[in-house]
Amino acid sequence: MFEEFVALDLETTGLDPERDAIVELAAVHFRQGEVVAKYSRLVNPGFPLPLRIQKLTGLTDEELQGAPEFAVLWPELQEFIADLPLVGHNLSFDLAFLAKAAGWQPLGPVFDTRRLCRIFYPTLTGYSLSQLARHFSLPSEGEHRAEPDALRSGMLFLKVKERAARMKAGVLQLMVSSLPAGDPVHLFLEAILAEKKHEFGAYSQLFAFERQDSAGEFLGEEELIDEDGGPNRGYLNEEEVVAMFTAGGKLGRELPGFEEREGQKEMAREVCRAFNEDGILLIEAGTGSGKSLAYLVPSLLWAMNSGEKVVLSTHTISLQEQIRAKDLPLLQKIWPHLRSAVIKGRANYLCLDRWFQTWDARQEGTAFSDFYLRLLVWLTETLTGDRNELSLNQQEEEEWYQLCCESSSCRGQNCFYRSSCFWLQALRRARDAHLIIVNHSLLVADLKTESAVLPAYERLVVDEAHHLEEEAMSGLGLEVGDKHFRRVFRLLLREEGRNGPGPRGILRLKLRNFAYNSLVPEVEATLVKIEEEASMLKAAWEQFVKIIGFFLTPAGEEVGACCRRLDEYLACLLPEERQSLENAAANLTSRLGRLRGELNRFLGQLALLDPHDDYLADSKAEWKAVATLVGQIEEDWQKIWTRAEADQVYWLEWDGTQLILRSAPLKVGEILRAKLFEQVRTVILTSATLTVNGSCSYFRERLGLDGIAGERVRERTVAPPFAYDSQALMCVVRDLPLPGEEDFSRAVADFIVRLLEVTGGSTMVLFTSHQMLREVYWRVQRELEEMDVLLLGQGIDGSRSRLLEEFKQVRRAVLFGASTFWEGVDLPGELLRCLVLVKIPFASPEIPVVSARLEEMAQQEKSGFWQFTLPQAVIKFKQGFGRLIRTREDRGVVVVLDRRLLEKKYGRAIFGSLPLRSHFRGSRDEVLKKIAEWLEGKTFPLLQKVIK
């Protein structure tokens, strides 16, 4: 079972074997789980080592200059490896460099620990070597050095072997059957199975859903009682609730390191009042205020005492996970009978019927992708079937859609797996829960479907509420694009044999049982016609996309290469251009209708072929789902292209290869007020950023709350728990060019270089556009390298998660981020000492939704700038500002490079919205001097009072 192997790792000057070179070689020989020999050498690449590699590895040019060249060392390494199995993490990368440098291919089998970990540990959040090492508590010393990384790779291989050896033989046999004989994972599994021959009954109780009593697991029978065991009641004693948040209260006794916070007690009191008075509470509570417990405790007490469910909606998965995995287990220690449930849209749950139908219908010799192997392993452990337990890449996301509990293909009462259905289990848990946790998207979907998604509720808490409006616009709007058409083409045109035969292949296999039925030739002829129509639809869509792309002028801003309102785009075309596009659109409409018609005819034929809805039930459901998908695309496409509704904004997004057409309602507030706020008795809306200059008026107006009469809506602000005036220095540079002036980006670049001479790193720079981020990046790159400062740029050096991981590892580093870095980034302590806000984050009027809103406000004789653009910018500015201080021990500097903050009247609104009472304003030289004094712990008497 591969008891002897060699783990290999290389360090290189970059990612391209054609241009980059090897700088370090290492191999570790394992036998019987023990290290028996090591080989490690530095390699002279023949040119200077890039700064990023120096920072990640700790290697220097001086160390490498005296090292041998690769050609000298290669025979030694080749002899060390010999013909033993080779193990490595993302091993194809290392082998590509060895192939380029020595023309070498391994003699023995090759095992990639990244691939193996993705298959056998499908629920991990990341699969980089450092992430896996932390998860398995492997030695962390020497990250990004060849010998320690090779050692970790070998240890990971041993972990995977242990994991596979614990799995049931039946699961391993299913995996083997889905892989070609020469696949390394096939060899790996065969070796594991060779030692499990003693197992009998290999195919019984393989999966977690088979080993649970669903009714006992999910349906509790406990009577709802209050803390004193009295009768159910719907009233909260404010003083008793607040007492829980004192040092001697129940939370203080259960929570290690509990700190009594006045803001938390104040918020809990306000939440109690909103429940008792059937009110709507808007409450701003920033980082460190303990707001989640402040609303959870009253909400849960209300639910347990009254029998009414409380729905909690969040925007991010991370907050959901914090509440589910951290806050609720703590509260369950106080109330053991507390029940909660997380519920998501149907597409988030695996459909067991579709899964087993696809698996069982695969043809002999069919090789499934690793995605199906990951799901098979996952099914041995998941009790929820929730896709968020998995880390899916883009391709896997598309494949997931074919296996999820999407409603149109559901067989309902006729489903063999109904008692184990993950979606129904989620509904059962929600039915029995005191607290139902959802996301904003599902909350909006429930409104859109007239409460067809969630159980009935009258009490609602919305955290991260500043995202509710944008989620409502997205969820209540329409979208048609490449991903929707790809789903159709993948279902109807994909090659047979890849990940199973698909709907066509499955049906053709089943039609063999109807060989003597006179309807079969007609069914087969219609199936061929459907394939033809799908091919012509594909050609029509590709032609439409080609024409759109040809006529578009890329804008190169935040929302993709180009984002244009549909009316404006069409108006800019010449008559002959518009006619060409209209012809392509008409052809697309026609092809959608013809395909939908053929699918509906086909469904009728299947019903006649098997009138008792028995043997072909699975195929009927599958083809019904395809027909429903095509029909929905056709309906949404026609609404968007014809701009059917006047109170919607319609636009297109184009990134050079993919096209999306969208629509969104302009009057989201009216919809939310009518369908949500006037239907629910209590609503708590909370976030760290709700107010502008101390008022929630902007937020109230955007959500339609200003139309609710009386005193039902109340606003409150919880004072921040941090001493911002002693923890943070805010500086505004007043002698830089104005944003938009020709030399602004050059001046910003020069200042950032000088700033990093002072801070030495631990600095994040937030931009409002990717274009300017790139301009400044390339201006400063060489100088920062000479200063030994690692520069990390969003969209240049890797994904958001990868950049944050590298930034945390390297002290002398600066991170350039755009929109997604303005919130949701947590870098406490010394990880972030300086934050730079390049510009006030005004939304571009070129963004379709923004321009449509401004037009609407102009028609109403309202100031679009003061009543929409500025408040939106203030809220985002506050989000960016909030990245700096995350704990009571944090200390750092915020630098603003947009002097409009000082010179324009609206600067008062921004200053008045921040938790600081003072700031420093000065020239570039004065600001840099003040920052140096601050970071050295000196006083700063020149601070200006904030203009209120």
Side-chain angles (χ1 to χ4, degrees):
M1 197 174 72
F2 306 114
E3 296 297 339
E4 191 170 10
F5 61 89
V6 170
L8 173 73
D9 189 77
L10 310 179
E11 298 301 328
T12 65
T13 61
L15 304 178
D16 186 353
E18 298 296 327
R19 296 182 303 173
D20 294 304
I22 299 168
V23 296
E24 190 173 22
L25 301 165
V28 180
H29 188 166
F30 285 80
R31 184 183 300 133
Q32 302 292 329
E34 301 292 333
V35 175
V36 296
K38 296 180 180 178
Y39 177 88
S40 181
R41 298 288 188 275
L42 295 179
V43 182
N44 187 342
F47 54 85
L49 195 61
L51 177 63
R52 187 175 187 183
I53 306 302
Q54 292 184 39
K55 289 294 183 183
L56 289 177
T57 63
L59 293 171
T60 65
D61 287 327
E62 290 74 18
E63 291 178 279
L64 298 180
Q65 284 173 359
E69 294 182 353
F70 174 81
V72 175
L73 300 172
W74 171 238
E76 300 175 1
L77 178 60
Q78 192 174 13
E79 181 180 356
F80 187 91
I81 297 172
D83 61 352
L84 289 172
L86 199 60
V87 167
H89 202 71
N90 197 19
L91 192 54
S92 60
F93 173 86
D94 304 86
L95 295 181
F97 272 88
L98 292 179
K100 176 63 179 176
W104 179 77
Q105 295 294 328
L107 300 177
V110 172
F111 301 104
D112 186 341
T113 51
R114 186 178 189 279
R115 183 188 179 199
L116 288 171
C117 286
R118 279 184 60 82
I119 292 172
F120 286 95
Y121 296 94
T123 61
L124 299 184
T125 56
Y127 295 92
S128 70
L129 187 55
S130 58
Q131 289 171 315
L132 291 167
R134 285 194 293 272
H135 176 79
F136 291 109
S137 300
L138 304 181
S140 59
E141 296 80 11
E143 284 190 2
H144 304 292
R145 290 298 300 269
E147 183 180 320
D149 282 352
L151 180 63
R152 279 186 280 269
S153 297
M155 296 171 76
L156 278 179
F157 185 67
L158 296 174
K159 290 285 185 183
V160 175
K161 284 177 61 180
E162 292 172 6
R163 162 70 168 144
R166 293 194 301 269
M167 294 174 62
K168 292 196 173 188
V171 175
L172 300 179
Q173 288 164 351
L174 286 173
M175 297 174 74
V176 167
S177 71
S178 70
L179 289 165
D183 190 295
V185 178
H186 187 283
L187 299 176
F188 176 82
L189 290 167
E190 281 193 325
I192 300 289
L193 280 168
E195 299 193 1
K196 297 174 76 70
K197 292 180 178 178
H198 62 282
E199 288 192 10
F200 296 96
Y203 288 94
S204 64
Q205 299 276 298
L206 297 184
F207 305 114
F209 69 84
E210 297 175 312
R211 303 191 295 270
Q212 69 173 5
D213 179 354
S214 60
E217 176 77 17
F218 298 122
L219 299 181
E221 300 296 334
E222 272 191 272
E223 182 181 353
L224 297 177
I225 58 173
D226 66 17
E227 287 235 272
D228 300 320
N232 294 347
R233 57 191 174 86
Y235 177 77
L236 296 174
N237 186 306
E238 294 178 18
E239 299 307 323
E240 290 178 4
V241 172
V242 171
M244 295 186 64
F245 293 89
T246 61
K250 292 185 178 180
L251 281 174
R253 294 197 299 269
E254 293 291 344
L255 187 60
F258 179 83
E259 294 181 3
E260 193 169 326
R261 286 173 278 192
E262 290 302 316
Q264 190 177 47
K265 292 190 289 185
E266 178 188 349
M267 181 172 177
R269 186 184 301 277
E270 292 293 341
V271 173
C272 287
R273 190 170 301 169
F275 272 96
N276 288 335
E277 298 175 0
D278 293 347
I280 298 176
L281 174 65
L282 281 64
I283 186 161
E284 181 176 270
T287 303
S289 61
K291 72 174 183 298
S292 59
L293 286 176
Y295 62 65
L296 280 172
V297 169
S299 299
L300 291 169
L301 278 172
W302 181 276
M304 290 186 289
N305 289 342
S306 69
E308 294 181 345
K309 298 183 185 304
V310 177
V311 171
L312 167 61
S313 181
T314 73
H315 177 64
T316 59
I317 293 175
S318 59
L319 179 56
Q320 273 193 1
E321 283 301 300
Q322 174 201 310
I323 292 168
R324 185 193 62 81
K326 179 182 175 184
D327 296 332
L328 289 176
L330 167 67
L331 296 175
Q332 208 143 20
K333 293 179 181 179
I334 302 173
W335 304 301
H337 62 286
L338 164 64
R339 295 185 296 274
S340 63
V342 177
I343 186 169
K344 300 168 183 176
R346 294 184 65 131
N348 288 280
Y349 299 94
L350 181 72
C351 174
L352 292 171
D353 188 38
R354 298 177 82 175
W355 161 262
F356 285 111
Q357 182 186 159
T358 301
W359 189 278
D360 293 342
R362 73 189 189 280
Q363 297 167 329
E364 185 177 353
T366 294
F368 274 153
S369 69
D370 286 357
F371 171 63
Y372 282 76
L373 301 181
R374 297 184 71 208
L375 291 186
L376 188 65
V377 174
W378 178 57
L379 278 170
T380 67
E381 58 190 44
T382 184
L383 295 176
T384 68
D386 182 353
R387 65 187 279 187
N388 285 322
E389 293 179 357
L390 302 162
S391 298
L392 303 182
N393 58 37
Q394 183 176 352
Q395 177 61 38
E396 290 172 338
E397 290 277 3
E398 293 183 4
E399 293 187 64
W400 172 269
Y401 186 79
Q402 310 310 317
L403 301 171
C404 68
C405 288
E406 192 270 329
S407 60
S408 61
S409 64
C410 181
R411 294 173 59 194
Q413 297 287 345
N414 297 321
C415 180
F416 178 78
Y417 298 97
R418 184 172 177 79
S419 63
S420 301
C421 175
F422 292 125
W423 163 247
L424 292 180
Q425 296 286 20
L427 292 182
R428 292 187 186 111
R429 286 192 295 268
R431 187 185 70 189
D432 190 49
H434 301 113
L435 180 73
I436 302 173
I437 304 172
V438 304
N439 58 26
H440 296 351
S441 178
L442 187 65
L443 182 69
V444 173
D446 189 57
L447 303 181
K448 190 174 183 178
T449 58
E450 304 294 338
S451 303
V453 179
L454 300 178
Y457 67 94
E458 291 189 329
R459 313 287 174 175
L460 172 67
V461 179
V462 181
D463 201 344
E464 301 175 307
H466 61 282
H467 284 292
L468 183 57
E469 184 198 8
E470 64 186 78
E471 283 292 341
M473 292 193 73
S474 175
L476 298 173
L478 302 174
E479 176 185 336
V480 172
D482 279 285
K483 69 178 182 180
H484 303 90
F485 282 96
R486 280 201 306 270
R487 287 175 186 167
V488 175
F489 304 146
R490 188 171 57 250
L491 286 167
L492 300 180
L493 299 175
R494 78 183 188 194
E495 294 180 6
E496 300 296 341
R498 187 183 186 281
N499 294 335
R504 291 181 299 150
I506 291 172
L507 182 60
R508 281 175 172 145
L509 288 172
K510 291 188 174 186
L511 287 178
R512 296 173 184 174
N513 292 279
F514 295 85
Y516 300 104
N517 192 308
S518 61
L519 288 174
V520 169
E522 184 180 346
V523 171
E524 290 180 334
T526 305
L527 187 56
V528 171
K529 183 64 175 174
I530 286 173
E531 294 168 8
E532 292 174 353
E533 289 294 344
S535 295
M536 288 186 281
L537 174 63
K538 187 172 187 288
W541 172 249
E542 290 173 349
Q543 178 66 11
F544 178 78
V545 172
K546 181 179 179 181
I547 294 174
I548 286 275
F550 182 79
F551 293 143
L552 278 173
T553 303
E557 280 299 323
E558 286 281 313
V559 287
C562 186
C563 183
R564 299 277 296 277
R565 287 178 67 178
L566 197 49
D567 286 334
E568 293 177 355
Y569 168 71
L570 294 174
C572 291
L573 299 179
L574 297 173
E576 59 271 21
E577 294 174 337
R578 178 157 185 169
Q579 188 59 54
S580 175
L581 186 58
E582 292 286 2
N583 290 342
N587 184 39
L588 182 60
T589 302
S590 173
R591 289 301 172 189
L592 279 166
R594 290 170 68 94
L595 178 58
R596 175 183 48 77
E598 291 296 335
L599 286 167
N600 289 335
R601 186 160 69 93
F602 189 59
L603 290 173
Q605 291 174 341
L606 290 181
L608 292 173
L609 183 63
D610 188 16
H612 300 295
D613 194 28
D614 186 10
Y615 184 71
L616 293 181
D618 292 341
S619 287
K620 290 176 184 178
E622 188 84 3
W623 283 95
K624 179 184 176 184
V626 177
T628 301
L629 174 61
V630 172
Q632 190 63 60
I633 292 173
E634 180 187 24
E635 180 182 344
D636 293 346
W637 154 256
Q638 289 185 332
K639 286 181 179 179
I640 293 174
W641 186 250
T642 60
R643 281 85 75 203
E645 299 179 33
D647 59 350
Q648 301 260 330
V649 55
Y650 302 89
W651 72 98
L652 55 85
E653 296 176 14
W654 166 253
D655 68 358
T657 58
Q658 297 189 42
L659 176 69
I660 304 174
L661 294 99
R662 301 184 191 272
S663 75
L666 286 172
K667 299 178 181 178
V668 170
E670 294 180 9
I671 299 172
L672 290 175
R673 182 178 69 245
K675 292 192 172 186
L676 183 63
F677 300 126
E678 291 180 348
Q679 306 301 320
V680 179
R681 294 174 64 182
T682 297
V683 184
I684 312 296
L685 296 155
T686 186
S687 167
T689 52
L690 289 184
T691 64
V692 176
N693 209 6
S695 170
C696 290
S697 58
Y698 167 75
F699 187 74
R700 291 177 68 150
E701 190 271 332
R702 295 313 309 171
L703 291 189
L705 293 170
D706 55 351
I708 296 179
E711 298 182 356
R712 189 179 172 219
V713 182
R714 293 186 299 113
E715 300 179 16
R716 293 294 184 270
T717 301
V718 174
F722 305 135
Y724 280 98
D725 287 302
S726 60
Q727 288 183 253
L729 168 67
M730 179 175 174
C731 298
V732 185
V733 183
R734 63 185 180 191
D735 65 344
L736 284 169
L738 285 169
E741 292 183 352
E742 185 177 350
D743 53 350
F744 179 68
S745 62
R746 181 183 297 276
V748 167
D750 292 342
F751 180 82
I752 288 173
V753 171
R754 295 182 61 193
L755 175 66
L756 285 161
E757 291 174 347
V758 175
T759 66
S762 300
T763 298
M764 182 162 67
V765 184
L766 296 181
F767 293 84
T768 58
S769 81
H770 289 278
Q771 181 179 348
M772 185 173 181
L773 183 155
R774 290 190 293 269
E775 287 180 11
V776 175
Y777 180 100
W778 297 117
R779 289 183 185 274
V780 304
Q781 184 187 36
R782 178 172 296 181
E783 289 186 77
L784 293 185
E785 283 192 6
E786 293 173 355
M787 291 166 53
D788 193 34
V789 173
L790 175 62
L791 173 61
L792 300 169
Q794 182 182 4
I796 301 172
D797 297 311
S799 66
R800 182 178 187 269
S801 58
R802 179 179 175 182
L803 294 182
L804 286 171
E805 187 176 345
E806 288 191 31
F807 186 70
K808 292 174 182 178
Q809 293 175 5
V810 180
R811 179 69 179 272
R812 289 185 64 82
V814 56
L815 174 58
F816 283 11
S819 58
T820 58
F821 281 84
W822 283 73
E823 62 178 308
V825 174
D826 193 13
L827 298 167
E830 291 297 307
L831 292 175
L832 183 64
R833 296 196 304 157
C834 182
L835 175 72
V836 181
L837 306 180
V838 175
K839 291 170 61 177
I840 300 170
F842 291 119
S844 169
E846 299 300 317
I847 297 174
V849 171
V850 173
S851 65
R853 284 175 170 173
L854 294 175
E855 282 183 12
E856 180 189 34
M857 296 184 77
Q859 292 169 2
Q860 298 169 351
E861 297 185 348
K862 296 180 179 179
S863 171
F865 177 81
W866 288 100
Q867 294 178 260
F868 173 71
T869 304
L870 178 61
Q872 192 179 57
V874 170
I875 288 174
K876 188 159 188 177
F877 191 97
K878 289 171 66 177
Q879 291 165 0
F881 180 91
R883 298 313 95 212
L884 184 68
I885 304 299
R886 310 299 295 173
T887 72
R888 295 188 180 188
E889 289 72 41
D890 289 358
R891 191 170 183 274
V893 180
V894 176
V895 187
V896 182
L897 305 185
D898 190 341
R899 75 177 202 238
R900 292 177 297 178
L901 190 61
L902 304 175
E903 298 175 355
K904 300 295 184 179
K905 185 179 178 181
Y906 55 74
R908 295 174 180 267
I910 298 176
F911 279 126
S913 301
L914 300 176
L916 283 168
R917 291 176 295 177
S918 57
H919 69 275
F920 180 79
R921 59 179 70 180
S923 66
R924 280 166 273 195
D925 292 340
E926 291 169 335
V927 165
L928 291 170
K929 179 181 177 183
K930 191 53 57 185
I931 292 172
E933 293 175 353
W934 167 266
L935 293 177
E936 292 171 7
K938 297 181 180 179
T939 58
F940 42 99
L942 297 181
L943 284 181
Q944 308 290 324
K945 290 295 182 183
V946 172
I947 303 172
K948 294 292 186 182

